[in-house]
Amino acid sequence: MTKMLDDYALLSPLRYTNNWLKIGVVGFGILMGISSQAPLVPFSIAICMSLATLIFGRVPPKFYLKLLMGPAVFVVFSVIIIAFFFGGGPELFGFNVLDYRLGVNTGGLSMAFLVFSRTLGGMCCLFFLALTTPMVELFSVLKKTRLPDSFIELSMMMYRYIFVFLDVAWCIKHAQTVRLGYHDLRTSLNSMAMLCSTLFLRSWEQGEKTFVAMNARCYDGKMMIFEEKRPVKFSEVALSLGYMVTIVGVWYVSNGMLEASLW
């Protein structure tokens, strides 16, 4: 099976960087991106976070681009709808469909471009965190935020068994495929129904086994989560501050240019 995000996070050199620093950098990028009224800021954030992921995180560029292409398909459809049905101003181009005029105006195109840039910037920020920080360490950070223990424990179990049941589903589907279980529509539907029912029963049985195993180990309602203390290095702080200052500067310049154009 192909590598998961956690596989790259476990091998990333940035895994040993302080988790709170990475979360702060990502949160700063997302907040600056959604607060900007000009697309230059989110694009700058996307470029900076992508370079950090590829250079410092040593993520293969081919895999990173493939990762971005998944949600990009939905973003493109959303941007097209915004361009045609929102905004105002002079019409740039259009056509008639059953006596209904569909056109793209300047306001709609600007809004679509801004939404696309914000989405791209947010995606790059979240992928930076996902590709450089294992999920187990994120759970330890959540533990420090004093969220309910039951919420964190359920999240940990759900995350753990997603991959377990994905592997089971893949094995079952492979066995069905070699037995011609998907050679036409009827057998495909039958095989998919059998796969879903088997996976449901497996998950139910695994849940009962997990409950018995936890009780046998004196489970008292709390799971211990250990966090490795990682001091923040001066170089990491300097690089993060340089990134933040650059984005703030771009934010002020772009918003000032936008206000000047409106006047």
Side-chain angles (χ1 to χ4, degrees), residues 32 35-42 114 118 248-263:
M32 291 298 295
S35 63
S36 175
Q37 298 300 318
L40 180 60
V41 176
L114 179 61
R118 286 178 174 178
V248 170
V250 174
W251 187 85
Y252 274 110
V253 171
S254 59
N255 284 355
M257 294 173 60
L258 182 62
E259 292 176 359
S261 64
L262 293 177
W263 284 101

Side-chain angles (χ1 to χ4, degrees), residues 11-249:
L11 298 175
S12 174
L14 292 179
R15 174 192 175 183
Y16 304 101
T17 305
N18 186 275
N19 294 325
W20 290 101
L21 179 63
K22 287 185 287 187
I23 292 175
V25 169
V26 170
F28 169 82
I30 293 176
L31 291 176
M32 291 298 295
I34 62 177
S35 63
S36 175
Q37 298 300 318
L40 180 60
V41 176
F43 276 127
S44 301
I45 293 171
I47 293 173
C48 292
M49 300 308 293
S50 297
L51 291 176
T53 304
L54 297 174
I55 297 174
F56 299 110
R58 296 180 184 176
V59 176
K62 185 177 180 180
F63 173 79
Y64 187 70
L65 291 176
K66 184 178 179 181
L67 196 63
L68 288 177
M69 289 300 296
V73 176
F74 299 97
V75 175
V76 168
F77 281 112
S78 302
V79 165
I80 292 174
I81 294 174
I82 292 173
F84 275 97
F85 295 100
F86 293 90
E91 184 179 288
L92 299 175
F93 61 90
F95 50 89
N96 295 321
V97 178
L98 300 177
D99 297 330
Y100 182 79
R101 183 67 178 177
L102 286 178
V104 176
N105 49 52
T106 54
L109 187 61
S110 300
M111 186 184 299
F113 199 54
L114 179 61
V115 170
F116 177 76
S117 65
R118 286 178 174 178
T119 307
L120 181 63
M123 285 166 45
C124 292
C125 288
L126 293 178
F127 282 144
F128 168 79
L129 186 63
L131 292 169
T132 59
T133 310
M135 198 65 193
V136 176
E137 297 187 9
L138 288 179
F139 285 130
S140 64
V141 173
L142 291 176
K143 189 80 170 179
K144 294 291 185 180
T145 60
R146 299 185 182 278
L147 286 172
D149 292 335
S150 57
F151 172 77
I152 298 176
E153 292 174 7
L154 284 174
S155 301
M156 290 178 60
M157 291 183 181
M158 289 170 61
Y159 180 78
R160 169 70 179 88
Y161 285 106
I162 282 173
F163 300 101
V164 173
F165 294 131
L166 275 177
D167 186 60
V168 173
W170 184 84
C171 293
I172 295 174
K173 186 176 181 181
H174 179 71
Q176 291 175 333
T177 302
V178 297
R179 292 170 175 81
L180 302 179
Y182 293 91
H183 73 280
D184 56 23
L185 180 61
R186 182 177 180 180
T187 55
S188 297
L189 293 175
N190 186 37
S191 298
M192 185 59 65
M194 292 178 62
L195 171 63
C196 293
S197 60
T198 303
L199 196 61
F200 175 77
L201 293 176
R202 291 280 183 91
S203 62
W204 190 279
E205 293 173 356
Q206 186 62 45
E208 292 183 346
K209 291 179 181 178
T210 303
F211 180 73
V212 172
M214 293 175 68
N215 285 335
R217 290 165 175 80
C218 303
Y219 175 66
D220 60 352
K222 292 184 179 181
M223 297 177 63
M224 298 299 296
I225 303 176
F226 298 98
E227 181 183 9
E228 182 180 352
K229 293 184 179 180
R230 294 168 181 157
V232 182
K233 300 179 181 178
F234 176 77
S235 58
E236 298 169 349
V237 175
L239 191 60
S240 301
L241 288 177
Y243 158 73
M244 293 180 180
V245 170
T246 302
I247 296 302
V248 170

